[in-house]
Amino acid sequence: MAMLEFADEDYRLDFEVGAVGTGIGGGFNNTRELKAMKYNEAIVIDKESWTIAVEEEHQIMVDNEVWRPVKLEDMQPGAKVLTSTWACKLKSNGTKQARINCRGYEQVNGVHYNSTTIHAPVTNENKAFLKDNLDQQTECMHMKVPEGFKKYYASGVALLLLKAIYGTKQAAMVFWRELLKCMEDLKYKHNGTDLCMYFKWNLIGLVIWLSWIDDCMVWGPEGIVKAESEVFNEEFYCDDGGKVTEYVGCNVERED
C-alpha cells in the first residue's frame, strides 16, 4: 500500500498502487532488467524464443497497418531509404520483448519531418506510437526491411511508413497528441507542473496517471485502478503489470 498525505492532517487516503504498460527500462543502472541487445546478439543466445518475440513484433506492425511494401523501382529517384535497429530486452518478469526502431537520425529535415512535429514531453505507452497516420506529403519515409522480417517480404522492396514508429523524430509528438485527447475524453486534468502526470477526482477518491517512456502507472483505490486501466487499454496496447515492484529502474517497496 502506498499512502499520499494531504495538507489537511485529518484527511488521508490509502491507495492501492497498480501499473499498466511495459518498457525497456530506460537504461537506468539500477534496473533489474538486462541491457537491450541487438537482433544478432539475441538470436545467438536463444534463437527459438527470440524469433517468437520478433514475429510478435511483426504481427503488431501488421495489425496496426504501420507500413506497406513498395518496390524500389517505384520510389522517387534518389529517395532515401532509412535503416532500423532492434532493441531486444529480457524483462524483469522473464518475458522477452523485441522492438524495431527506425534510425531517426537518418531522417532529413524538410523531407521526412519538420521542426514543429518533433517536440513533446517524454511520454508514451506500449505501441502508442503506432496510432496516428503520417502526412505522406511532408513526412514520406521509406525503411529498409529489418533483419528478422525479410521472410515476410519479396526482395527489391522497401517499407513505406504509414505511421510514426519508434525512433522517428515525430513519434513522440504524434503520441503526445493522442494521449492528451484520450485523457481529455476520460475526464482527466493535466498537471500544470509535470507534463507526464494526469489526475481526476471521483466519488471514491483521487486517481493519478503517470507516463514515462514505455511505462504507465496509475494510483488510486483498487477498484478504480482496475476500471480505469480497462478503459485506457481500449485506446492503447498495454500489458497489465500488476502491483508495481519496479518503475523506470527504481525498485518499489511497500510497508503495512
Side-chain angles (χ1 to χ4, degrees), residues 4-60:
L4 295 183
E5 298 187 14
F6 296 84
D8 185 349
E9 294 184 357
D10 295 329
Y11 184 39
R12 292 186 175 184
L13 291 177
D14 289 337
F15 291 102
E16 190 71 27
V17 179
V20 295
T22 58
I24 59 174
F28 289 83
N29 291 329
N30 64 331
T31 182
R32 294 196 305 269
E33 299 173 2
L34 298 177
K35 299 296 183 182
M37 297 177 288
K38 303 299 183 183
Y39 174 81
N40 291 336
E41 296 172 327
I43 291 297
V44 169
I45 294 174
D46 187 343
K47 182 175 181 179
E48 181 178 357
S49 59
W50 280 113
T51 297
I52 293 174
V54 168
E55 291 174 346
E56 291 175 347
E57 176 76 348
H58 181 263
Q59 190 59 51
I60 290 171

Side-chain angles (χ1 to χ4, degrees), residues 100-114:
I100 193 65
N101 297 267
C102 179
R103 288 192 170 104
Y105 61 82
E106 296 177 349
Q107 290 178 256
V108 178
N109 189 11
V111 177
H112 304 126
Y113 72 97
N114 63 71

